[in-house]
């Protein structure tokens, strides 16, 4: 079975094509294009215009590079939410048009669930605790009683957003996460920062404010980046470990753009090893927002009979992870 997926929840527009091989995901094509604001944060309408401009070309290119005939596609999936309204509507409109044109079924996919499923589909893990760390989201998710449940999350901003905001303050380009990672490698001095955990939840805005104050006081950028990473990632590691103990799972999976970070990977891997648990992370192109993860989740849903009628294919900006009934894992 072959699925084409369109991702468009925020700054990235992506088209992916996947195939199922013995229950594992084979990625045939996965192309993304990222909107980068000239200055400041993401402007949803500008991002949506960007997506609309690039989508037709991305669809053609994805089908070409997958080396398939468009009639071989069995199902069209799209990111139904959560995300920014104008971006979601652009991706959904394209998916509807494509489904009608190819006369194929449509499936609306939860973006957060897709981050988890692509990990299960490509890394070999089966029943993990997912640490989902991106710009907009920071959640600890695990499967329990038919749904993916959020055991912990950020009480304010996402970790990626925290890094990007810090980057903007330090005059680094967007997205700042990867640049902060490089600078942090040259950090030598640990600067004390607030470490906020409540149960299995975390918070980052206090840490961000303190880091900004260190910059004003003239501390080295490298030391600030190093200290921010060490503090924030330790907090994330601690809550992930707590969730693993709580739900009794032996696998931990990373997902979301910040999962590209080598230091975070190292910390989570070490924690897993110390618990005798297994650590998994998808390849980087599948960690960031992408169409393949939407296609794969759509394929899993379609395989167990779930489709979305065109007239019901509205988007849901606040689509919650635990609103999805995970029929395909029964
Ligand atoms: P979502 O819609 O799931 O919230 P998103 O729109 O933030 O996702 P992603 O591509 O999942 O998109 O994540 C982007 C974030 O990842 C940005 O905040 C970026 O700074 C961060 N990021 C990317 N690479 C790294 C890295 N190596 N280290 C730290 N952060 C990173
Ligand atoms: Fe994402």
């Amino acid at each position: 079975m072959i699925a084409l997926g369109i991702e468009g929840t925020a700054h990235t527009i992506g088209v992916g094509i996947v195939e199922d091989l013995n229950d594992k995901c084979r990625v045939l094509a996965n192309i993304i294009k990222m909107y980068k604001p000239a200055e400041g944060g993401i402007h949803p309408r500008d991002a949506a215009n960007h997506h609309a401009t690039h989508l037709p070309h991305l669809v053609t290119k994805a089908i070409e590079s997958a080396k398939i005939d468009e009639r071989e596609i069995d199902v069209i999936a799209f990111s139904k939410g959560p995300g920014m309204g104008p971006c979601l509507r652009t991706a959904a409109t394209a998916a509807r048009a494509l489904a009608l044109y190819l006369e194929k079924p449509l499936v609306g996919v939860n973006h957060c669930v897709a981050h988890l499923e692509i990990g299960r589909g490509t890394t070999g893990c089966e029943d993990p605790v997912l640490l989902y760390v991106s710009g907009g989201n920071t959640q600890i998710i695990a499967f329990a009683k038919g749904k993916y449940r959020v055991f912990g999350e950020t009480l304010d901003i996402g970790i990626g957003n925290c890094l990007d905001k810090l980057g903007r303050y330090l005059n680094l380009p967007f997205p700042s996460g990867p640049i902060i990672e490089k600078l942090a490698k040259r950090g030598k001095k640990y600067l004390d920062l607030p470490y906020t955990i409540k149960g299995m939840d975390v918070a980052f805005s206090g840490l961000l404010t303190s880091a900004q104050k260190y910059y004003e006081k003239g501390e080295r950028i490298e030391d600030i980046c190093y200290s921010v990473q060490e503090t924030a990632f330790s907090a994330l590691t601690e809550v992930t470990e707590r969730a693993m103990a709580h739900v009794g799972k032996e696998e931990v999976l990373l997902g979301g753009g910040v999962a590209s970070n080598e230091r975070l990977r190292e910390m989570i891997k070490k924690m897993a090893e110390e618990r005798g648990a297994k650590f998994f992370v998808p390849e980087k192109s599948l960690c960031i927002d992408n169409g393949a993860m939407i296609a794969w989740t759509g394929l899993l849903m379609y395989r167990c009979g779930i489709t979305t009628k065109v007239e019901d294919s509205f988007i849901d900006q606040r689509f919650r992870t635990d609103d999805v009934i995970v029929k395909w894992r029964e």
Side-chain angles (χ1 to χ4, degrees), residues 7 9 111 115 132 134 137 256-257 287-289 293:
E7 155 63 29
T9 53
H111 175 93
H115 273 294
Y132 165 35
S134 65
N137 294 288
C287 280
I288 55 174
D289 287 354
M293 69 179 194

Side-chain angles (χ1 to χ4, degrees), residues 12 20 31 33 38 55 58 69 106 129 218 220 259 294 316 329:
T12 298
D20 58 339
I31 307 174
K33 191 98 195 157
L55 248 172
L58 290 182
D69 187 278
L106 192 62
V129 166
R220 283 174 71 230
I294 303 297
D316 183 353
R329 279 190 65 172

Side-chain angles (χ1 to χ4, degrees), residues 124-175:
C125 70
E126 277 167 17
D127 187 23
V129 166
L130 169 74
L131 172 61
Y132 165 35
V133 278
S134 65
N137 294 288
T138 298
Q139 296 184 333
I140 294 134
I141 301 171
F143 184 74
K145 298 200 185 99
K147 287 182 170 183
Y148 285 120
R149 312 219 177 237
V150 179
F151 287 90
E153 62 190 316
T154 177
L155 299 172
D156 46 39
I157 51 175
I159 176 64
N161 194 230
C162 171
L163 297 172
D164 293 335
K165 279 192 165 137
L166 175 65
R168 208 182 309 155
Y169 203 80
L170 305 178
N171 297 312
L172 305 173
F174 176 86

